[in-house]
Amino acid sequence: EIVLTQSPATLSLSPGERATLSCRASQSISTYLVWYQQRPGQAPRLLIYDASRRATGIPDRFSGSGSGTDFTLTISSLEPEDSAVYYCQHRSNWPLTFGGGTKVEI
Amino acid sequence: QVHLVESGGGVVQPGRSLRLSCAASGFTFSSYGMHWVRQAPGKGLEWVAVIWYDGSNKYYADSVKGRFTISRDNSKSTLYLQMSYLRAEDTAVYYCARDVIPSTDYSGSGSYDALDIWGQGTMVIVSS
């Protein structure tokens, strides 16, 4: 089973600042990495898949990068509505696994 | 409009069974791999199971293997999760979710495993 480690656990920033979230895989997963946003009381929302492909309707302030074992989700200029927990997930093989999440506080 | 609506959650005693359903609408259900993902209270996301678009393959998390069964009825656009031998640690909100890309648009697998449409979730509480 592939273990995904997200850091930091919590990120406290101001509106307009840049957020950089990290996800590290326990083994190489090529670019088979997915990012989700989950606001309180809501279902997760797909942001990025295959490391850097933005899902439909996702603002371009969200971007993803990385390959192999190290991945980054960047929010270029934070908006108040970006307050949420962000999860990474790999789709390299089964079982799929999620990282533990990074909480972004604005 | 694309929708997934889960049902069947509730309070159940340890060791008993429960079946969850997920009704899909607004898309060609039979073209997509489908998943169950759960979230224990105050915890992160845990992937549970996947079923390929045609039902030909199913894969499970180790924590539920041998106890849970995922299935689908493409004629009814409905996904199921049969849960048996339930434990307290199975207490969670259970979400069904759809693959972002239909299986007809790629080759090599019957599920893409990036989840773009999620239901609102159904709560399962395992308690005596």
Side-chain angles (χ1 to χ4, degrees), chain B residues 47-122:
Chain B
W47 177 79
V48 173
V50 61
I51 185 167
W52 284 16
Y53 69 102
D54 58 359
S56 61
N57 280 286
K58 309 168 186 181
Y59 298 94
Y60 299 90
D62 289 345
S63 59
V64 306
K65 201 175 295 182
R67 299 188 300 122
F68 290 11
T69 301
I70 189 172
S71 62
R72 65 192 298 161
D73 186 337
N74 284 345
S75 68
K76 295 182 178 179
S77 295
T78 303
L79 177 72
Y80 302 100
L81 185 68
Q82 178 68 46
M83 304 185 294
S84 303
Y85 305 105
L86 282 161
R87 306 166 179 167
E89 54 265 37
D90 295 320
T91 294
V93 173
Y94 284 74
Y95 295 101
C96 65
R98 188 197 80 170
D99 274 343
V100 63
I101 295 178
S103 299
T104 47
D105 287 5
Y106 60 91
S107 61
S109 173
S111 63
Y112 199 79
D113 303 330
L115 313 180
D116 74 327
I117 303 296
W118 296 65
Q120 84 289 348
T122 187

Side-chain angles (χ1 to χ4, degrees), chain A residues 36 38 46 50 89 91 94, chain B residues 39 44 112-113 115-116 118-119:
Chain A
Y36 301 91
Q38 188 178 33
L46 176 66
D50 294 350
Q89 173 231 312
R91 66 173 201 90
W94 299 288
Chain B
Q39 187 168 35
Y112 199 79
D113 303 330
L115 313 180
D116 74 327
W118 296 65

Side-chain angles (χ1 to χ4, degrees), chain A residues 11-84:
Chain A
L11 202 51
S12 298
L13 294 167
S14 299
E17 288 193 302
R18 183 184 191 91
T20 303
L21 288 65
S22 173
C23 178
R24 177 164 289 178
S26 59
Q27 64 189 76
S28 178
I29 57 171
S30 183
T31 56
Y32 296 131
L33 197 282
V34 187
W35 290 96
Y36 301 91
Q37 175 194 66
Q38 188 178 33
R39 295 175 177 137
Q42 296 186 14
R45 174 192 182 197
L46 176 66
L47 297 176
I48 302 284
Y49 61 100
D50 294 350
S52 60
R53 297 178 68 178
R54 247 188 318 274
T56 302
I58 301 303
D60 61 7
R61 66 178 183 275
F62 292 92
S63 64
S65 63
S67 66
T69 60
D70 291 308
F71 300 88
T72 300
L73 174 69
T74 301
I75 310 172
S76 60
S77 179
L78 283 164
E79 302 278 349
E81 62 265 29
D82 298 335
S83 289

